[in-house]
Amino acid sequence: MTEPSTKSLPRIAGLDSIRFLAALVVLLMHFNVAPSLKDIWPDGLLGWAIRGTVDNALNGQAAVIVFFVISGFCIHYPRVAGRKLAVSEFYASRYIRIALPMFVAAFVWVVMGSELDKLVMGILWSLYAELAYYTAYPLIVLLRKAWGWSILFGVSAAGSAAVIFTQPIATLYQNHGIALTCILGLPCWLLGCILAERVQRDDPTSAPSARSIWAWRLAIWVLSVISSALEFHSPIGAPITLNIFAVAVFFWLEREILWVRAHGPVSALEAAGLWSYSIYLMHLPLAAAVVELCGQAGISISLANPLVILTVLVGCYIFYRIVEEPSHRLAKTAARYIGNRRYTLRPL
């Protein structure tokens, strides 16, 4: 019997670290940890620039775009590495891995008496988009072979632009509604697929210098700050700026991958990245639980309190161990079972 293609490929070092940092940015933004400097810095251009930078230093939506590009990369990389796409195994693996923890998080949120729409608009909208991209991926593979990336990406970019024109002054990425947001973000996700093929061709000896990689990291952060500032202080919203930002993320991630190939990853960040999905998924429900418990005890507490942040992170790790990690194992088992049946039932 031919062995089904469900064995894990080597992980691309460095991406888990970036996932963790992106999830942390989302958490810290939602917890409003950036201090207000209105009463510290004087008026004038310098004070305005400093206040604006601090106020917009944490752009959670920009972090989601980083997730989109990394997701496209990780989904397409196995095909670049030579693994054939077994659609039923792929769907079983991806849906279980993503949807099961998502359902548990939504259940916890609703049981606590919170409105599900708030969780959808705060977090789940991006996961719905991910599930839509997974669903479309087999078709994307076929279209990539028939058209090539240039035409496929161009069509997706045109669709994204059409979505923007339906509501040109939309502030948030998800303001267009779930379905249109999926179309809006598709070019970002496809950039990850294109990057997977590009990295495979890159010369490992062409790693950037330390000065270059830190310049790229600073540039990505500055672009995220500018995007956030434009979102809140101009008619140019995130749907416009973040799709441009995704192009910069594309080139930055390529250099991060080459950098880590040459120098190795930061082990602690790589380990933390394994439970970044739990941080992204559960930080709002757990924060609401902490505030509720403190309220019942007569304690008024800010989400920016370091003890709250630490408590939420610990809770996210526990969620990873008892929900997300078992979901990963179940997803692999389901894919393996489907693959075994597919090969067993194949006529001799």
Side-chain angles (χ1 to χ4, degrees):
M1 181 178 72
T2 305
E3 185 179 9
S5 56
T6 56
K7 288 185 176 180
S8 297
L9 292 168
R11 302 179 74 89
I12 299 298
L15 294 184
D16 281 333
S17 299
I18 296 171
R19 277 197 190 104
F20 171 72
L21 293 174
L24 199 59
V25 166
V26 175
L27 181 151
L28 295 176
M29 184 204 71
H30 282 155
F31 287 11
N32 198 27
V33 301
S36 175
L37 301 181
K38 292 180 179 179
D39 299 327
I40 299 176
W41 291 96
D43 293 333
L45 183 60
L46 178 61
W48 173 83
I50 293 173
R51 291 196 304 271
T53 300
V54 172
D55 288 345
N56 296 283
L58 298 169
N59 188 340
Q61 294 213 318
V64 170
I65 297 303
V66 174
F67 282 134
F68 279 172
V69 179
I70 291 178
S71 173
F73 181 98
C74 293
I75 292 300
H76 192 56
Y77 175 72
R79 257 48 68 190
V80 178
R83 178 182 293 175
K84 294 182 178 179
L85 178 62
V87 175
S88 55
E89 296 169 51
F90 172 77
Y91 281 158
S93 174
R94 301 316 304 179
Y95 289 164
I96 294 173
R97 185 186 183 110
I98 296 298
L100 188 55
M102 184 174 70
F103 289 150
V104 174
F107 176 77
V108 171
W109 183 261
V110 171
V111 165
M112 290 171 50
S114 301
E115 296 180 5
L116 187 58
D117 283 349
K118 292 182 179 179
L119 190 64
V120 170
M121 294 305 293
I123 293 176
L124 297 187
W125 67 270
S126 66
L127 302 180
Y128 292 161
E130 292 274 5
L131 291 172
Y133 303 149
Y134 298 160
T135 303
Y137 180 66
L139 176 61
I140 289 171
V141 171
L142 293 176
L143 293 177
R144 182 258 180 273
K145 291 180 180 178
W147 296 351
W149 281 124
S150 296
I151 295 177
L152 182 55
F153 181 79
V155 170
S156 72
S160 182
V163 170
I164 292 172
F165 284 132
T166 65
Q167 197 179 162
I169 61 172
T171 302
L172 300 177
Y173 210 76
Q174 63 271 36
N175 280 163
H176 295 279
I178 298 300
L180 291 181
T181 299
C182 293
I183 299 173
L184 176 65
L186 180 58
C188 307
W189 198 84
L190 291 181
L191 281 172
C193 298
I194 298 170
L195 180 60
E197 297 188 11
R198 183 179 172 108
V199 165
Q200 189 74 1
R201 299 189 299 266
D202 280 339
D203 181 1
T205 64
S206 61
S209 65
R211 178 179 296 180
S212 175
I213 194 65
W214 279 105
W216 270 96
R217 291 166 180 171
L218 177 61
I220 289 296
W221 175 70
V222 169
L223 288 174
S224 75
V225 170
I226 293 172
S227 172
S228 179
L230 290 174
E231 174 185 330
F232 291 107
H233 303 288
S234 84
I236 304 174
I240 297 174
T241 61
L242 291 185
N243 276 23
I244 299 172
F245 174 75
V247 177
V249 170
F250 171 89
F251 291 106
W252 165 56
L253 288 179
E254 180 182 22
R255 285 155 179 79
E256 286 286 355
I257 292 169
L258 290 173
W259 169 264
V260 173
R261 280 181 179 176
H263 301 279
V266 178
S267 299
L269 290 179
E270 286 290 280
L274 296 178
W275 49 287
S276 57
Y277 180 45
S278 291
I279 296 174
Y280 182 73
L281 191 59
M282 286 299 295
H283 70 277
L284 286 182
L286 288 173
V290 170
V291 170
E292 176 67 20
L293 290 174
C294 289
Q296 292 179 1
I299 301 172
S300 177
I301 194 166
S302 167
L303 290 180
N305 187 305
L307 289 177
V308 174
I309 295 172
L310 179 61
T311 301
V312 168
L313 287 174
V314 170
C316 290
Y317 180 75
I318 294 172
F319 181 86
Y320 165 74
R321 298 293 295 184
I322 66 175
V323 177
E324 184 187 351
E325 193 175 39
S327 297
H328 289 187
R329 292 197 296 267
L330 179 60
K332 290 180 180 179
T333 300
R336 190 178 300 114
Y337 173 77
I338 293 172
N340 285 334
R341 283 187 57 81
R342 178 164 59 87
Y343 281 97
T344 301
L345 296 176
R346 177 175 294 176
L348 298 176

